[in-house]
Amino acid sequence: MTPSKLLIAAAAGAASALLFLGLVLQSGSAVSLALAAPIPVFIVSLGWGSLAGFIAAIVSAVLVSTLSGIVSGGLLVFVAMTLPAAIAGHMAGLARPAAEGEILPPRPGVKVADGGRPALLWFPVERILFAIALMAALACIGLGWYLGYDVEALKPEIVDALRQSGNAGQMSDGDLDAVATLLLSLVPLVQPAVLTLVLSVGLYLAAWITRISDRLPRPKDDLPTALHLPPLALVVFGAALAASFFPGTVEHLALAVCGAFGMAFTFVGLAQFHARTRGRSNRGLLLFATYAAIAILSFPMFLFTIFGVYDTVKRMRSPPRR
């Protein structure tokens, strides 16, 4: 690695650390900045190579631990943010020459040479999304084990926070206990889903930025038609959904997997919606109304999760493409 690339990787790691540092220091206003922490690592990985991405991930973790004096803060940003970003950026940069006799029609993500033979086959988007969901689930499970996630131990702190926030009103102690239990039971489901969302959107934005700077070798993917999930994702999601009915630790582990892969299937459903509305005169209004409904009401998201599952099942039942 050249000194210039090493310097760029270190700068990207420092930028990621500064974005995440406010969350470690418990600054509520810095949450939005912390969600952008993977983007510098994505950018340097896509534009300057996988090694630069991994160096940026390590630098970010070391700086967070050093500046905050909290070792767990550096571990948090490394496991949940920068390491998955470096791995996903590495996967997005993978490509191989077409095999001898491999004739494929032109499609998004493939550079085609003369005669219809692709010069390079890039790592499929569906496998990148699968890897992001898997890494998000494993990161939340690992951090939950390391930090000692315990509903009964954390419940008194949540009850005190509800009382101090002024939202408790005339609620009794029993009602506050029930609300705290509900909130804590949703953490294993929501946290991996949010992490999958952050990593996926961060990769998309980083690819857009890197492409503008003309540093991205990968051709632009047509996400509405290229974004799917492999059949293994459906198996993992179904097994986790079934295991979530078991109480205790098994339930928490299963909910983490359900949250991560549920968000991944939601992305697939939204991509199918984008593809099916192409060519419609009211497409802009449909997309705006859909995303507004998701942002305000949240529950319409589950409809697109079902669409994503249906797309995967349909592709499993269709004959393999030659």
Side-chain angles (χ1 to χ4, degrees):
M1 171 176 283
T2 61
S4 60
K5 283 188 177 182
L6 184 60
L7 183 62
I8 292 172
S16 178
L18 292 176
L19 288 170
F20 192 80
L21 198 58
L23 185 62
V24 177
L25 298 178
Q26 299 182 356
S27 173
S29 60
V31 174
S32 57
L33 293 177
L35 297 179
I39 295 180
V41 180
F42 276 129
I43 291 175
V44 74
S45 180
L46 293 173
W48 283 266
S50 302
L51 182 57
F54 286 108
I55 292 175
I58 297 172
V59 170
S60 175
V62 172
L63 285 179
V64 169
S65 298
T66 303
L67 296 177
S68 65
I70 304 174
V71 178
S72 59
L75 180 65
L76 175 62
V77 69
F78 183 72
V79 173
M81 294 283 191
T82 57
L83 180 60
I87 294 175
H90 167 72
M91 296 173 70
L94 292 177
R96 67 170 177 85
E100 187 67 26
E102 189 173 11
I103 306 297
L104 295 174
R107 67 177 188 270
V110 178
K111 289 183 177 179
V112 181
D114 294 336
R117 182 186 176 192
L120 286 177
L121 296 177
W122 293 86
F123 199 81
V125 176
E126 62 182 43
R127 297 186 185 181
I128 299 175
L129 180 60
F130 178 87
I132 287 176
L134 183 61
M135 287 188 292
L138 293 177
C140 291
I141 291 172
L143 290 173
W145 169 80
Y146 177 76
L147 299 175
Y149 177 78
D150 188 354
V151 174
E152 296 302 324
L154 295 174
K155 189 184 300 183
E157 299 180 10
I158 301 299
V159 171
D160 291 340
L162 290 174
R163 286 173 179 165
Q164 295 175 5
S165 65
N167 297 324
Q170 301 298 323
M171 296 176 63
S172 62
D173 292 341
D175 294 335
L176 288 174
D177 186 85
V179 172
T181 302
L182 175 62
L183 292 176
L184 288 172
S185 64
L186 290 176
V187 169
L189 179 69
V190 175
Q191 191 178 42
V194 172
L195 184 55
T196 303
L197 173 66
V198 168
L199 292 173
S200 301
V201 174
L203 178 58
Y204 175 81
L205 293 176
W208 177 70
I209 295 171
T210 313
R211 184 175 293 110
I212 289 178
S213 62
D214 202 24
R215 298 273 325 173
L216 186 64
R218 183 185 179 110
K220 185 177 181 180
D221 295 284
D222 184 30
L223 293 181
T225 57
L227 194 62
H228 303 283
L229 277 172
L232 181 59
L234 189 61
V235 176
V236 173
F237 183 68
L241 192 62
S244 65
F245 291 96
F246 291 90
T249 304
V250 176
E251 178 188 7
H252 295 157
L253 297 176
L255 286 177
V257 178
C258 287
F261 280 90
M263 180 57 69
F265 279 113
T266 303
F267 279 128
V268 175
L270 288 171
Q272 293 301 305
F273 183 69
H274 276 259
R276 291 177 181 272
T277 55
R278 280 180 170 173
R280 293 179 177 267
S281 58
N282 59 345
R283 184 172 188 262
L285 179 61
L286 287 173
L287 294 178
F288 174 79
T290 299
Y291 284 102
I294 291 175
I296 297 172
L297 303 175
S298 297
F299 70 85
M301 184 182 299
F302 294 104
L303 180 63
F304 290 98
T305 306
I306 296 173
F307 287 164
V309 172
Y310 171 74
D311 174 76
T312 307
V313 173
K314 182 178 68 174
R315 295 180 73 240
M316 289 175 61
R317 298 177 62 181
S318 62
R321 184 175 57 185
R322 298 182 61 182

